[in-house]
Amino acid sequence: MMRPPSPTIASSPTGGPSLERRLPLLVLALVACVVAGFSVAGYREVRTATVTRTIERLEGVARELTTSSARIGDARVGVLRALAADPAITQAVVGSGASASLAARIAAAHQPGDSTRLGWELWTVAGERRFRSGVAPSPRDSAVLAATRARVADTDSVQRSPLYGVADGVGVWTAVPVRVAGRTVGVLAEQRRLGRSPRTEETIRQLIGPDVRVLYTSRGSSEWASLAGTPAAAPFARPATEDSAVLVEGARGSRYYAVQANVPRTPWLIVLLQPESTVLRRPQQFLRHLLGVGALLLAVATLGAWLLSRHVTRPLRRITDASAALAGGDYAQRVAVKGGAELAGLATTFNAMAAQLGDAHATLAERNAALLRANEAKVEFLAMMSHELRTPLNAIAGYTELMTLGLRGPVTPEQVEDLERIRRNKDHLVSIIADILNFSRADAGALRLAITRVPLAAVVSDAVDALGHQFAAKGVRLTVNPVPDDSIVRGDREKVQQVLLNVLSNALSFTEADGEVVITTVAIDQAVRVDVRDTGIGIPAERLDDIFEPFVQVDSSRTRRVGGTGLGLAIARTLTSAMGGSLAVVSAVGVGSTFSLTLPRANVAESALPDANATQQARTYGR
């Protein structure tokens, strides 16, 4: 029988985010990658260029400072050499001591405005001081001078002492040899203090920046001096490389770009420092500006992609909504044919499909209505034929009973036996008519169920009482195991009993004499199962599913020994399914079969039947 398709509402999509969401996210991801890539590349280029320019400026200033310092130093050495060659100096070294002309000569060599010179000293190679001008040197000054004089005597050349701190200043000695006849006979030394040069400081800050530092130190020395001429703490561990820029680690984790350059012909080094944070300030500002522009670009691109996705997906949403309405049974749904070629083609195809589905549904509804009418007519016909057939059959039964009782005259034992055969065949024919009528009603969906609480103990007892004499007559033992007290199911009592009678009748039909049929009731979770096990002929495995089909029997040959229409098990399964249960079978040929009837357990809230379940004892019928 054909039924109209039940409309189903389209379920929510489960394929991930919609295109309207994915497109903006995709554009956002792509633009973010592009912005990030350009930002990183741009920052690296700007950083490299900035660092390179900073190092070039530091190196350029360092070269200027070392050249200027070397030029000034060489001029002062020239003055000292000229003094060392003066006859008054040599006479003071090889003679008995300094003369008045020596003091006048040295005083004449002092340039006005030279505030860094502290004084001169004249010594013999043997270590005898012959002359001193200016203030008396401190012990530290004397120690440095002694070391410098020793190097002059050893090398017979001009020597400059390392820079060293004295009090709040930084001192330095320059010593030249005094020769007589090509032989070094003494040492002329000049003592100076590093002076502050505000003009130089201002020039450096203008060229490089306000936070640049200029320091002095010497090879092999751990003492440092500032550009102001005062001692300074060591900013970092000085690397061995000179005349090149390095990135050094300072105190407290600070980092500096440093350039150290040697003043020619001296042990002095000029070191320029600039913090890395200052050098990278402009690249970082550039990066922040670039990221700000990128964020704005991301927002604009995302908004544009969202608007574009809405514009693109709006026709698709209309088609989706129309499809959902179509799935819900609204076959009049149509969508406007507009947009691009693809969307217009999709809309046209959808409209054609909707029209075809509407026509097919209308045709199907008409045919189904006709089938329903035919089915109802069939049921009415079968009901009428059942009534019409029962009338003569009941008459046959009545007259048979009258003849059997001898009311129409005496009958012989043979005639009584024939009349009993007529009665049995009448009963069989009535049973066949009832099965056909019940199957027709079930197939037409006309079953009426009175669902309530059904105690299985009473149902099993009634079924056994109804068929017990048939088991005894055939010689088949019927054993009923005790039914649990809580075996109360939810169903129609009459239909439950009919199912159990059909299963028991089937077991009796296919079990030979001296066989056995056992009924066992088991409570399982939210259901109760009734197992009917027999020791009959069994069912082949390939026929287990077929026995529940209407008009199908295991033995369908013309010579079969068991009668019937083959509707009993089909009706039993249909009734069981209608009550929310199941009917299954397990069988083996030559061993027997077990039919399992499972029904849902009744809830306490459902109305109770007036007849209560009674405790059942094991009973056996037959032999």
Side-chain angles (χ1 to χ4, degrees), residues 149-270:
R149 288 190 291 105
R151 289 198 300 274
V152 173
D154 292 340
T155 61
D156 192 26
S157 61
V158 178
Q159 293 294 324
R160 295 178 173 88
S161 71
L163 302 174
Y164 62 95
V166 179
D168 59 348
V170 177
V172 63
W173 286 96
T174 302
V176 298
V178 178
R179 295 187 179 89
V180 176
R183 183 172 61 88
T184 300
V185 295
V187 176
L188 176 62
E190 180 186 51
Q191 183 184 17
R192 288 182 176 273
R193 291 281 190 269
L194 288 183
R196 181 174 183 179
S197 178
R199 185 175 179 181
T200 302
E201 294 178 5
E202 181 64 24
T203 302
I204 293 174
R205 288 189 173 91
Q206 290 178 355
L207 290 175
I208 301 178
D211 53 355
V212 68
R213 294 180 63 189
V214 181
L215 300 174
Y216 296 98
T217 186
S218 305
R219 290 196 187 98
S221 174
S222 60
E223 299 187 55
W224 292 71
S226 66
L227 191 62
T230 58
F236 60 90
R238 191 177 67 82
T241 306
E242 296 178 3
D243 300 324
S244 62
V246 291
L247 183 62
V248 296
E249 189 83 21
R252 299 179 182 178
S254 56
R255 291 158 62 91
Y256 300 91
Y257 284 100
V259 173
Q260 53 181 357
N262 174 242
V263 179
R265 296 172 295 279
T266 71
W268 309 329
L269 297 172
I270 297 178

Side-chain angles (χ1 to χ4, degrees), residues 354-368:
Q356 292 177 2
L357 285 176
D359 295 342
H361 183 266
T363 302
L364 182 61
E366 293 176 0
R367 293 181 180 179
N368 191 69

